[in-house]
Amino acid sequence: MRILITGGTGLIGRVLCRALLAKGHEITVFSRRPATVGVICGPGVRAMTSLSEWTPEVQFDAVVNLAGEPIVDARWTAKRQQILLNSRVALTRHLVARMAAATSKPGVFLSGSAIGWYGDTGDRLNDESGVAGLDFGARLCAQWEQQAVKANDLGIRTVILRTGLVFDATGGMLHKMLLPFKFGLGTRLGDGQQWMSWIHIDDYVAALLFALEQTTVNGVVNMTAPGAVRNEEFTQTLASVLHRPAWLVAPAGLLKMAMGEMAVLLLGGQRVMPQALNKAGFVFCYPLLKPALKNLLQKE
């Protein structure tokens, strides 16, 4: 297939590109840093620096939309919120417009979102039929998804990837946490009772390929492992795998003072089940946290 990917140089995109190349697909990555695409994504991957290069005559069989500015890198000021919205909502709107103008439309559109769509749901178990939350992260995901589902009206099979915490020892959240945990500075966040819905990077890419290839997969898909854990359990499990103690606590009040509204990302949580993937027959290699962490840390 000829596949266009946005966010191809990111944590997930770079692993996805190499998996698709191994299957013989032809990959184009939309990136504002075209010189890095071949190095990060693999030789033979074409760089597209502007969506205007997608003229009606250019044909893609599939579009995978993973782009978005990091949501945790800066406080959610009004300016930052607009940047986050533009990098997700506006880009997705432009992608759908390009699909609408295409002479030959893609057969499938996989578009990113996040389990933050559900908001902070406490102990409630969320499947794909849940309701949207009210905080900024939830509103951001809702607007993002609203643009993506417009591809359905074009007759394109559209899959919304509600992504949990993607664990990879070489990047992302887990990578950032490894150094302090290795020094015995593993820290519980608040009371530690908030749920963390996570997924091993290999399972994420395998599930994405599954959604790409299985024509019965449609609509919202929770991209999380079935073994969600509370923050307290995650902290102790990671410390155990590293053979280090984890006795520190980051008080909730301090986190709220330092991070403002963004503290919900650490103190709130979602207990999410991948019901759509399970129903479609996808099999996780790493459904439980401890084996997943052991595997990832062997690769570090």
Side-chain angles (χ1 to χ4, degrees):
M1 286 195 291
R2 288 160 292 191
I3 304 173
L4 172 65
I5 302 176
T6 71
T9 59
L11 175 69
I12 297 167
R14 63 186 67 188
V15 181
L16 173 64
C17 283
R18 293 185 181 273
L20 290 169
L21 286 174
K23 285 177 166 282
H25 297 295
E26 182 181 315
I27 310 301
T28 299
V29 167
F30 170 61
S31 174
R32 294 181 178 86
R33 296 179 299 161
T36 68
V37 168
V39 176
I40 294 174
C41 301
V45 176
R46 176 176 174 263
M48 176 186 285
T49 58
S50 171
L51 288 181
S52 63
E53 295 176 40
W54 185 0
T55 60
E57 295 75 26
V58 175
Q59 182 178 352
F60 292 110
D61 303 302
V63 177
V64 182
N65 180 26
L66 301 175
E69 286 289 323
I71 198 167
V72 297
D73 282 11
R75 283 179 68 114
W76 288 347
T77 62
K79 181 178 179 181
R80 183 63 182 173
Q81 288 184 6
Q82 193 58 52
I83 290 172
L84 293 171
L85 282 164
N86 288 341
S87 70
R88 290 165 171 79
V89 180
L91 176 61
T92 304
R93 183 188 304 118
H94 292 156
L95 278 173
V96 174
R98 290 293 168 181
M99 292 185 224
T103 303
S104 181
K105 294 176 175 45
V108 58
F109 178 41
L110 307 184
S111 191
S113 183
I115 59 172
W117 184 90
Y118 299 103
D120 178 10
T121 56
D123 288 336
R124 188 179 78 206
L125 189 62
N126 300 283
D127 61 24
E128 289 85 354
S129 65
V131 296
L134 300 175
D135 61 48
F136 169 72
R139 298 195 305 273
L140 171 63
C141 289
Q143 292 182 53
W144 195 5
E145 293 186 14
Q146 285 167 8
Q147 294 303 319
V149 297
K150 292 178 181 179
N152 278 320
D153 298 334
L154 304 174
I156 298 170
R157 178 169 66 93
T158 303
V159 181
I160 304 297
L161 308 169
R162 281 192 191 148
T163 301
L165 300 168
V166 179
F167 286 167
D168 185 351
T170 66
M173 171 190 168
L174 179 62
H175 175 71
K176 292 177 181 178
M177 299 177 72
L178 285 179
L179 187 60
F181 269 78
K182 286 178 178 178
F183 280 99
L185 301 175
T187 304
R188 192 188 79 203
L189 303 176
D191 65 8
Q193 294 306 294
Q194 65 273 36
W195 286 93
M196 298 175 64
S197 292
W198 58 274
I199 186 169
H200 188 296
I201 183 69
D202 290 351
D203 274 339
Y204 188 97
V205 171
L208 196 153
L209 292 175
F210 182 85
L212 185 68
E213 296 166 356
Q214 299 295 319
T215 57
T216 56
V217 178
N218 203 355
V220 175
V221 174
N222 285 334
M223 300 289 279
T224 63
V229 296
R230 295 185 189 273
N231 174 258
E232 183 174 34
E233 181 180 348
F234 167 79
T235 303
Q236 293 304 320
T237 302
L238 179 55
S240 172
V241 170
L242 292 170
H243 307 290
R244 295 291 188 273
W247 51 271
L248 297 175
V249 176
L254 184 62
L255 291 172
K256 290 177 181 177
M257 186 181 303
M259 301 177 68
E261 185 182 1
M262 194 170 68
V264 70
L265 295 176
L266 300 182
L267 298 173
Q270 301 85 22
R271 186 184 180 193
V272 175
M273 286 298 293
Q275 182 167 296
L277 284 174
N278 288 337
K279 186 176 179 181
F282 179 76
V283 178
F284 288 86
C285 290
Y286 303 99
L288 301 177
L289 180 64
K290 192 166 188 177
L293 291 177
K294 285 184 174 181
N295 174 266
L296 288 166
L297 296 180
Q298 286 173 0
K299 299 178 180 180
E300 189 197 3

